[in-house]
Amino acid sequence: MRILVCAKQVPDTNEVKIDPKTGTMIREGVPSILNPDDANALEAALVIKDENPGTEVIVMTMGPPQASEMLRECLAMGADEAYLLSDRAFMGADEAYLLSDRAFGGADTWATSATLAAGIKKVKKVDLVLAGRQAIDGDTAQVGSQIAQRLKMPVVTYVEDIKIEDKKAIVHRQMEDGYEVIEVQLPCLLTCVKELNDPRYMSVGGIMDAYEQPITIWNHEDIGLSPEACGLNASPTQVFRSFSPPAKGGGEMITGTTVNEVAGSLVSKLKEKHII
């Protein structure tokens, strides 16, 4: 079995700031991490690999050269191959890079799914595609389903449990008040939620091996896309404004010597605010 995991390098949301003048995200100096839901998808693939000898796990991402560090983390966790769809080219053993073109730049979910789907087609023979539910920098939860549509694969979203039996995936799809059991024929695409598992840590040996493994880099020509079919040129979405939500006000601790005194103080404050 060959499992392909779609992963994304995202800014650490604990450090994200918005430029008040331009309304755009300030990425300079912000640490990047493997998208958490994608880490759950990778762990799911590795669990299947552990249970089924001979299984190969492939990781693919679209992004700048820096995303290669995230791919090496995935290799260190246990992935077998890594592919970077990038609009820039590496040069030299130290992974310095040269700006080649910006075909993939400015992609929305529609253009991103087109690029990833083209990359997956070039990889060929993929039995299962896994992705995170959504990326924490966009929170759209659209790319996984769009990839499945482009690949003409069945898709199940919000998956919290996976079992592979007789060329079928039997999954639990998370609902607001429980879950539903769905059986789907392979090949298919599943988007994973954090409740699915706890991602494993990288091993020391895995880290050392990861830096010895090659990362395959493809640009738009390699995956058969014209500049008009990817990136900003193929992105119908326009972001009107991005902003940070206002900070919540500080709470107030109500104290007293007795329960009645505390309850009385609380009732008085609620009346002052016309809540009761």
Short mmCIF file of all heavy atoms in Angstrom, two decimals, residues 76-113:
data_model
loop_
_atom_site.label_atom_id
_atom_site.label_comp_id
_atom_site.label_asym_id
_atom_site.label_seq_id
_atom_site.Cartn_x
_atom_site.Cartn_y
_atom_site.Cartn_z
N ALA A 76 11.83 12.17 9.60
CA ALA A 76 12.38 11.73 10.88
C ALA A 76 11.35 10.99 11.72
O ALA A 76 11.69 10.14 12.55
CB ALA A 76 12.92 12.93 11.66
N MET A 77 10.07 11.29 11.50
CA MET A 77 9.00 10.58 12.22
C MET A 77 8.75 9.20 11.64
O MET A 77 8.17 8.34 12.30
CB MET A 77 7.72 11.40 12.18
CG MET A 77 7.78 12.67 13.02
SD MET A 77 6.35 13.77 12.74
CE MET A 77 5.01 12.77 13.43
N GLY A 78 9.16 8.99 10.36
CA GLY A 78 8.99 7.66 9.77
C GLY A 78 8.52 7.62 8.34
O GLY A 78 8.35 6.54 7.78
N ALA A 79 8.28 8.79 7.71
CA ALA A 79 7.87 8.81 6.31
C ALA A 79 9.01 8.29 5.43
O ALA A 79 10.19 8.40 5.78
CB ALA A 79 7.47 10.21 5.89
N ASP A 80 8.66 7.75 4.26
CA ASP A 80 9.65 7.14 3.37
C ASP A 80 10.12 8.07 2.26
O ASP A 80 11.26 8.00 1.84
CB ASP A 80 9.07 5.87 2.75
CG ASP A 80 8.67 4.84 3.79
OD1 ASP A 80 9.59 4.31 4.45
OD2 ASP A 80 7.47 4.58 3.95
N GLU A 81 9.23 8.92 1.76
CA GLU A 81 9.58 9.83 0.67
C GLU A 81 8.98 11.21 0.95
O GLU A 81 7.98 11.31 1.67
CB GLU A 81 9.03 9.33 -0.67
CG GLU A 81 9.55 7.98 -1.12
CD GLU A 81 8.88 7.53 -2.41
OE1 GLU A 81 8.46 8.41 -3.21
OE2 GLU A 81 8.76 6.31 -2.62
N ALA A 82 9.60 12.24 0.37
CA ALA A 82 9.09 13.60 0.55
C ALA A 82 9.16 14.36 -0.76
O ALA A 82 10.16 14.26 -1.50
CB ALA A 82 9.90 14.33 1.63
N TYR A 83 8.10 15.10 -1.05
CA TYR A 83 8.02 15.90 -2.27
C TYR A 83 7.67 17.33 -1.92
O TYR A 83 6.74 17.59 -1.15
CB TYR A 83 6.94 15.34 -3.21
CG TYR A 83 7.29 14.00 -3.81
CD1 TYR A 83 7.06 12.82 -3.11
CD2 TYR A 83 7.85 13.91 -5.09
CE1 TYR A 83 7.39 11.59 -3.65
CE2 TYR A 83 8.18 12.68 -5.64
CZ TYR A 83 7.94 11.53 -4.92
OH TYR A 83 8.26 10.31 -5.46
N LEU A 84 8.41 18.26 -2.51
CA LEU A 84 8.17 19.68 -2.30
C LEU A 84 7.78 20.31 -3.64
O LEU A 84 8.54 20.25 -4.61
CB LEU A 84 9.43 20.37 -1.76
CG LEU A 84 9.40 21.90 -1.66
CD1 LEU A 84 8.30 22.37 -0.73
CD2 LEU A 84 10.76 22.44 -1.21
N LEU A 85 6.57 20.85 -3.69
CA LEU A 85 6.12 21.59 -4.86
C LEU A 85 6.43 23.06 -4.58
O LEU A 85 5.79 23.69 -3.75
CB LEU A 85 4.63 21.39 -5.09
CG LEU A 85 4.15 19.93 -5.09
CD1 LEU A 85 2.64 19.87 -5.36
CD2 LEU A 85 4.90 19.10 -6.11
N SER A 86 7.44 23.57 -5.26
CA SER A 86 7.95 24.89 -4.92
C SER A 86 8.17 25.73 -6.17
O SER A 86 8.52 25.21 -7.24
CB SER A 86 9.27 24.77 -4.14
OG SER A 86 9.76 26.04 -3.78
N ASP A 87 7.95 27.03 -6.03
CA ASP A 87 8.21 27.94 -7.13
C ASP A 87 9.63 28.48 -7.08
O ASP A 87 9.97 29.43 -7.74
CB ASP A 87 7.20 29.10 -7.11
CG ASP A 87 7.19 29.84 -5.78
OD1 ASP A 87 8.07 29.56 -4.95
OD2 ASP A 87 6.31 30.69 -5.58
N ARG A 88 10.46 27.84 -6.27
CA ARG A 88 11.86 28.24 -6.19
C ARG A 88 12.72 26.99 -6.32
O ARG A 88 12.26 25.88 -6.10
CB ARG A 88 12.17 28.94 -4.86
CG ARG A 88 11.27 30.16 -4.64
CD ARG A 88 11.63 30.87 -3.37
NE ARG A 88 10.67 31.95 -3.11
CZ ARG A 88 10.80 32.83 -2.14
NH1 ARG A 88 11.83 32.79 -1.33
NH2 ARG A 88 9.90 33.77 -1.97
N ALA A 89 13.97 27.16 -6.68
CA ALA A 89 14.84 26.02 -6.92
C ALA A 89 16.01 26.03 -5.95
O ALA A 89 16.57 27.07 -5.64
CB ALA A 89 15.37 26.06 -8.36
N PHE A 90 16.37 24.84 -5.46
CA PHE A 90 17.53 24.71 -4.59
C PHE A 90 18.81 24.72 -5.42
O PHE A 90 18.81 24.32 -6.59
CB PHE A 90 17.48 23.39 -3.82
CG PHE A 90 16.43 23.34 -2.77
CD1 PHE A 90 15.27 22.60 -2.95
CD2 PHE A 90 16.58 24.03 -1.59
CE1 PHE A 90 14.30 22.55 -1.99
CE2 PHE A 90 15.61 24.00 -0.61
CZ PHE A 90 14.46 23.25 -0.81
N MET A 91 19.87 25.13 -4.81
CA MET A 91 21.16 25.05 -5.48
C MET A 91 22.22 24.83 -4.41
O MET A 91 22.33 25.56 -3.44
CB MET A 91 21.47 26.32 -6.28
CG MET A 91 21.30 27.63 -5.53
SD MET A 91 21.63 29.08 -6.54
CE MET A 91 23.36 28.87 -6.91
N GLY A 92 22.99 23.76 -4.56
CA GLY A 92 24.07 23.51 -3.62
C GLY A 92 23.66 22.61 -2.48
O GLY A 92 22.47 22.48 -2.15
N ALA A 93 24.66 21.97 -1.86
CA ALA A 93 24.40 21.03 -0.79
C ALA A 93 23.88 21.70 0.47
O ALA A 93 23.24 21.07 1.30
CB ALA A 93 25.69 20.27 -0.47
N ASP A 94 24.15 22.99 0.63
CA ASP A 94 23.70 23.69 1.83
C ASP A 94 22.25 24.17 1.71
O ASP A 94 21.75 24.85 2.59
CB ASP A 94 24.62 24.88 2.14
CG ASP A 94 24.63 25.91 1.02
OD1 ASP A 94 24.09 25.61 -0.06
OD2 ASP A 94 25.21 26.99 1.22
N GLU A 95 21.60 23.80 0.60
CA GLU A 95 20.19 24.13 0.38
C GLU A 95 19.93 25.64 0.32
O GLU A 95 18.88 26.13 0.69
CB GLU A 95 19.28 23.47 1.42
CG GLU A 95 19.26 21.96 1.29
CD GLU A 95 18.19 21.32 2.15
OE1 GLU A 95 17.66 22.00 3.03
OE2 GLU A 95 17.89 20.14 1.93
N ALA A 96 20.95 26.38 -0.13
CA ALA A 96 20.67 27.78 -0.49
C ALA A 96 19.76 27.73 -1.71
O ALA A 96 19.72 26.74 -2.43
CB ALA A 96 21.96 28.51 -0.83
N TYR A 97 18.99 28.77 -1.94
CA TYR A 97 18.04 28.69 -3.04
C TYR A 97 18.06 29.96 -3.89
O TYR A 97 18.48 31.03 -3.48
CB TYR A 97 16.63 28.44 -2.53
CG TYR A 97 16.11 29.48 -1.57
CD1 TYR A 97 15.43 30.59 -2.03
CD2 TYR A 97 16.29 29.34 -0.20
CE1 TYR A 97 14.96 31.55 -1.15
CE2 TYR A 97 15.81 30.29 0.69
CZ TYR A 97 15.14 31.39 0.20
OH TYR A 97 14.66 32.32 1.07
N LEU A 98 17.62 29.78 -5.11
CA LEU A 98 17.58 30.85 -6.09
C LEU A 98 16.13 31.06 -6.51
O LEU A 98 15.44 30.10 -6.85
CB LEU A 98 18.42 30.47 -7.31
CG LEU A 98 18.36 31.40 -8.53
CD1 LEU A 98 19.01 32.73 -8.18
CD2 LEU A 98 19.03 30.77 -9.71
N LEU A 99 15.67 32.29 -6.48
CA LEU A 99 14.31 32.57 -6.93
C LEU A 99 14.22 32.30 -8.42
O LEU A 99 14.95 32.87 -9.21
CB LEU A 99 13.96 34.04 -6.63
CG LEU A 99 12.54 34.48 -7.00
CD1 LEU A 99 11.52 33.71 -6.15
CD2 LEU A 99 12.38 35.96 -6.80
N SER A 100 13.31 31.38 -8.80
CA SER A 100 13.17 31.04 -10.21
C SER A 100 11.91 31.65 -10.81
O SER A 100 11.96 32.33 -11.81
CB SER A 100 13.17 29.51 -10.41
OG SER A 100 12.15 28.91 -9.63
N ASP A 101 10.75 31.37 -10.24
CA ASP A 101 9.52 32.00 -10.67
C ASP A 101 8.53 31.96 -9.52
O ASP A 101 8.77 31.32 -8.51
CB ASP A 101 8.94 31.32 -11.92
CG ASP A 101 8.55 29.88 -11.67
OD1 ASP A 101 7.68 29.64 -10.80
OD2 ASP A 101 9.09 28.99 -12.34
N ARG A 102 7.41 32.66 -9.68
CA ARG A 102 6.42 32.72 -8.60
C ARG A 102 5.10 32.11 -9.06
O ARG A 102 4.04 32.63 -8.74
CB ARG A 102 6.23 34.17 -8.16
CG ARG A 102 7.42 34.78 -7.44
CD ARG A 102 7.74 33.98 -6.20
NE ARG A 102 6.57 33.77 -5.37
CZ ARG A 102 6.44 34.21 -4.12
NH1 ARG A 102 7.43 34.84 -3.56
NH2 ARG A 102 5.34 34.00 -3.45
N ALA A 103 5.18 31.02 -9.78
CA ALA A 103 3.96 30.41 -10.32
C ALA A 103 3.01 29.97 -9.22
O ALA A 103 1.80 30.06 -9.37
CB ALA A 103 4.32 29.23 -11.21
N PHE A 104 3.53 29.47 -8.10
CA PHE A 104 2.67 28.97 -7.02
C PHE A 104 2.30 30.05 -6.01
O PHE A 104 1.47 29.82 -5.14
CB PHE A 104 3.37 27.83 -6.27
CG PHE A 104 3.60 26.60 -7.10
CD1 PHE A 104 4.67 25.76 -6.83
CD2 PHE A 104 2.77 26.28 -8.16
CE1 PHE A 104 4.89 24.62 -7.59
CE2 PHE A 104 2.98 25.14 -8.93
CZ PHE A 104 4.05 24.31 -8.64
N GLY A 105 2.91 31.21 -6.09
CA GLY A 105 2.70 32.25 -5.09
C GLY A 105 1.29 32.80 -5.08
O GLY A 105 0.66 32.96 -6.14
N GLY A 106 0.77 33.11 -3.90
CA GLY A 106 -0.54 33.74 -3.76
C GLY A 106 -1.71 32.82 -3.97
O GLY A 106 -2.84 33.28 -4.20
N ALA A 107 -1.49 31.50 -3.88
CA ALA A 107 -2.55 30.54 -4.16
C ALA A 107 -3.61 30.52 -3.06
O ALA A 107 -3.29 30.54 -1.88
CB ALA A 107 -1.96 29.13 -4.30
N ASP A 108 -4.89 30.48 -3.46
CA ASP A 108 -5.97 30.26 -2.51
C ASP A 108 -6.24 28.75 -2.46
O ASP A 108 -5.47 27.95 -3.01
CB ASP A 108 -7.22 31.05 -2.89
CG ASP A 108 -7.84 30.60 -4.21
OD1 ASP A 108 -7.30 29.68 -4.86
OD2 ASP A 108 -8.89 31.15 -4.59
N THR A 109 -7.32 28.33 -1.83
CA THR A 109 -7.58 26.89 -1.70
C THR A 109 -7.80 26.22 -3.06
O THR A 109 -7.40 25.08 -3.27
CB THR A 109 -8.80 26.63 -0.80
OG1 THR A 109 -9.97 27.22 -1.39
CG2 THR A 109 -8.58 27.22 0.58
N TRP A 110 -8.45 26.93 -3.98
CA TRP A 110 -8.74 26.37 -5.29
C TRP A 110 -7.45 26.07 -6.05
O TRP A 110 -7.26 24.98 -6.61
CB TRP A 110 -9.61 27.33 -6.07
CG TRP A 110 -10.05 26.85 -7.43
CD1 TRP A 110 -9.61 27.27 -8.64
CD2 TRP A 110 -11.04 25.84 -7.70
NE1 TRP A 110 -10.24 26.60 -9.64
CE2 TRP A 110 -11.13 25.71 -9.10
CE3 TRP A 110 -11.85 25.05 -6.88
CZ2 TRP A 110 -11.99 24.82 -9.72
CZ3 TRP A 110 -12.71 24.15 -7.49
CH2 TRP A 110 -12.78 24.04 -8.90
N ALA A 111 -6.53 27.05 -6.07
CA ALA A 111 -5.27 26.87 -6.78
C ALA A 111 -4.35 25.89 -6.04
O ALA A 111 -3.62 25.12 -6.67
CB ALA A 111 -4.57 28.22 -6.94
N THR A 112 -4.39 25.91 -4.71
CA THR A 112 -3.57 24.97 -3.93
C THR A 112 -3.99 23.54 -4.20
O THR A 112 -3.14 22.66 -4.40
CB THR A 112 -3.71 25.27 -2.42
OG1 THR A 112 -3.22 26.59 -2.16
CG2 THR A 112 -2.90 24.27 -1.60
N SER A 113 -5.29 23.29 -4.23
CA SER A 113 -5.77 21.94 -4.49
C SER A 113 -5.40 21.49 -5.91
O SER A 113 -5.10 20.32 -6.14
CB SER A 113 -7.28 21.85 -4.28
OG SER A 113 -7.99 22.62 -5.23
#
